[in-house]
C-alpha cells in the first residue's frame, strides 16, 4: 500500500472513531417506592395540648443547640438531604419556606421528601414592649425547634440524581437561620473518611485538645466548660 492510500485509510478511521461516546449506565431506581404523599407534611404552628393542660413555659436551655448531634446525623434513605453546620432554632416561618420550596421544585411522580426534625415544641417567652421590669416571666410568644450541629433537617429521595436536586437544596439551606448545606450519602461518607484520615495521620502534636489540657498560654482563664468539653470545635 502506498503512502496516499495509507493516509486515506487513517483519515477515514479517525473520522469514524472521533464521534464515539462512552457514557456510564444510568443508576437503577427500581427498588425505590414513591409514597402516597410525596410532599412535606404541614407543620403545626403551636403544639397541641390536651384541653385540661395549660401550656408550660420553659427556660432558654441553650444546651439544646450546643455540641454535635449524635442521633439524627445520618441519611435514612441514603440519598440526599440538608444538614445543619451549626446550632440554631427553627421557627414556623422556616418550616413553611422549606415546605413551599420543596413542593414547587420536586416532581411528585418520581421524588418525595420527609422531615427529619420535630415540629416547633420549645416555647419562647417575651415581655411586651414598653412594660416595666419585673412582673414575672412574660407570656409565650412563639415556639421553636432547637437544632444541633450535624442534624439532618430533611431528606429527599426518589428516582433522581444528586445533580438534579443540588441547586434547590442549596438555595433552601441558605435561607435557614444557621449554616447548612445540601448533602448526599457519598458526601457524608467522604466527609467521615476525611476526618478519620486527618485524625490518624496528623503529625502536629499541638492540637486544640492538647493545648487546652495543658493550659498552654494560660487558656484556662478564659475558656468555658463547653470549650473544655468540645475543644472549641462547636461554638
Amino acid at each position: 500500500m502506498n503512502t496516499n492510500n495509507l493516509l486515506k485509510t487513517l483519515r477515514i478511521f479517525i473520522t469514524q472513531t472521533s464521534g464515539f461516546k462512552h457514557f456510564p449506565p444510568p443508576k437503577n431506581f427500581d427498588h425505590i417506592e414513591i409514597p402516597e404523599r410525596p410532599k412535606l407534611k404541614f407543620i403545626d404552628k403551636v403544639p397541641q395540648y390536651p384541653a385540661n393542660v395549660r401550656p408550660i413555659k420553659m427556660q432558654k436551655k441553650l444546651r439544646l443547640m450546643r455540641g454535635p448531634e449524635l442521633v439524627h446525623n445520618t441519611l435514612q434513605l441514603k440519598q440526599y438531604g440538608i444538614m445543619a453546620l451549626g446550632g440554631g432554632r427553627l421557627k414556623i416561618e422556616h418550616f413553611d419556606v422549606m415546605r413551599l420550596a420543596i413542593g414547587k421544585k420536586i416532581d411528585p411522580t418520581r421524588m418525595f421528601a420527609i422531615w427529619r426534625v420535630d415540629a416547633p415544641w420549645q416555647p419562647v417567652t417575651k415581655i411586651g414592649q414598653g412594660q416595666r421590669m419585673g412582673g414575672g416571666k412574660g407570656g409565650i410568644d412563639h415556639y421553636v425547634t432547637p437544632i444541633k450541629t450535624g442534624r439532618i433537617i430533611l431528606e429527599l429521595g426518589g428516582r433522581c440524581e444528586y445533580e438534579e436536586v443540588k441547586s434547590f437544596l442549596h438555595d433552601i439551606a441558605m435561607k435557614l437561620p444557621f449554616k447548612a448545606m445540601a448533602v448526599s450519602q457519598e458526601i457524608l461518607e467522604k466527609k467521615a473518611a476525611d476526618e478519620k484520615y486527618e485524625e490518624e495521620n496528623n503529625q502536629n502534636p499541638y492540637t486544640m485538645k492538647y493545648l487546652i489540657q495543658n493550659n498552654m498560654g494560660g487558656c484556662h482563664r478564659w475558656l468555658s466548660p463547653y470549650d473544655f468539653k468540645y475543644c472549641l470545635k462547636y461554638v
Side-chain angles (χ1 to χ4, degrees):
M1 181 181 297
N2 56 19
T3 306
N4 293 333
N5 294 336
L6 180 60
L7 291 175
K8 291 180 181 180
T9 304
L10 291 176
R11 190 178 298 110
I12 294 174
F13 177 76
I14 293 174
T15 304
Q16 291 176 347
T17 59
S18 61
F20 288 173
K21 304 293 183 181
H22 298 280
F23 296 106
K27 290 185 178 181
N28 186 8
F29 298 110
D30 295 339
H31 62 285
I32 296 178
E33 297 181 2
I34 307 299
E36 295 181 0
R37 298 182 61 182
K39 297 184 180 181
L40 293 174
K41 296 181 180 180
F42 182 81
I43 297 295
D44 293 330
K45 183 178 180 180
V46 178
Q48 301 297 324
Y49 292 100
N52 59 346
V53 176
R54 184 178 181 181
I56 61 173
K57 300 177 183 180
M58 191 179 296
Q59 298 175 340
K60 290 184 178 180
K61 292 188 178 181
L62 298 180
R63 65 179 181 273
L64 298 176
M65 299 181 290
R66 286 173 171 162
E69 175 62 43
L70 303 177
V71 180
H72 302 282
N73 54 8
T74 58
L75 295 173
Q76 293 181 349
L77 304 177
K78 306 299 181 183
Q79 286 193 287
Y80 327 114
I82 297 177
M83 183 179 68
L85 300 179
R89 289 172 171 173
L90 287 176
K91 298 181 180 180
I92 186 62
E93 292 82 1
H94 303 123
F95 282 95
D96 291 338
V97 166
M98 291 186 285
R99 179 175 58 84
L100 295 175
I102 290 292
K104 292 178 181 179
K105 295 295 183 180
I106 68 172
D107 183 1
T109 61
R110 58 187 183 89
M111 300 180 190
F112 64 95
I114 59 173
W115 292 114
R116 288 294 305 277
V117 291
D118 301 324
W121 60 269
Q122 185 183 13
V124 177
T125 59
K126 183 179 180 181
I127 298 179
Q129 188 175 5
Q131 295 186 7
R132 292 180 179 271
M133 296 291 291
K137 195 172 181 64
I140 297 176
D141 183 69
H142 60 276
Y143 290 85
V144 296
T145 301
I147 301 296
K148 289 186 176 182
T149 303
R151 179 69 183 259
I152 302 298
I153 308 299
L154 58 86
E155 285 193 53
L156 192 147
R159 305 181 182 94
C160 55
E161 298 281 351
Y162 178 62
E163 295 298 331
E164 191 175 355
V165 301
K166 177 182 177 181
S167 59
F168 65 84
L169 286 181
H170 175 75
D171 294 339
I172 296 173
M174 294 298 103
K175 296 177 182 178
L176 298 180
F178 43 78
K179 290 184 178 180
M181 65 177 293
V183 296
S184 64
Q185 182 64 22
E186 291 76 13
I187 292 176
L188 294 181
E189 293 176 355
K190 184 178 184 302
K191 182 178 179 181
D194 292 343
E195 291 179 355
K196 183 178 180 181
Y197 176 83
E198 292 177 359
E199 184 178 356
E200 293 177 351
N201 297 273
N202 181 30
Q203 298 181 359
N204 183 11
Y206 294 100
T207 60
M208 187 58 66
K209 182 178 180 180
Y210 177 85
L211 298 178
I212 293 176
Q213 289 179 344
N214 293 275
N215 193 21
M216 301 294 287
C219 60
H220 287 184
R221 293 176 297 175
W222 49 269
L223 290 177
S224 69
Y226 286 97
D227 296 329
F228 285 96
K229 183 177 181 180
Y230 300 121
C231 298
L232 300 179
K233 187 175 181 181
Y234 304 98
V235 180

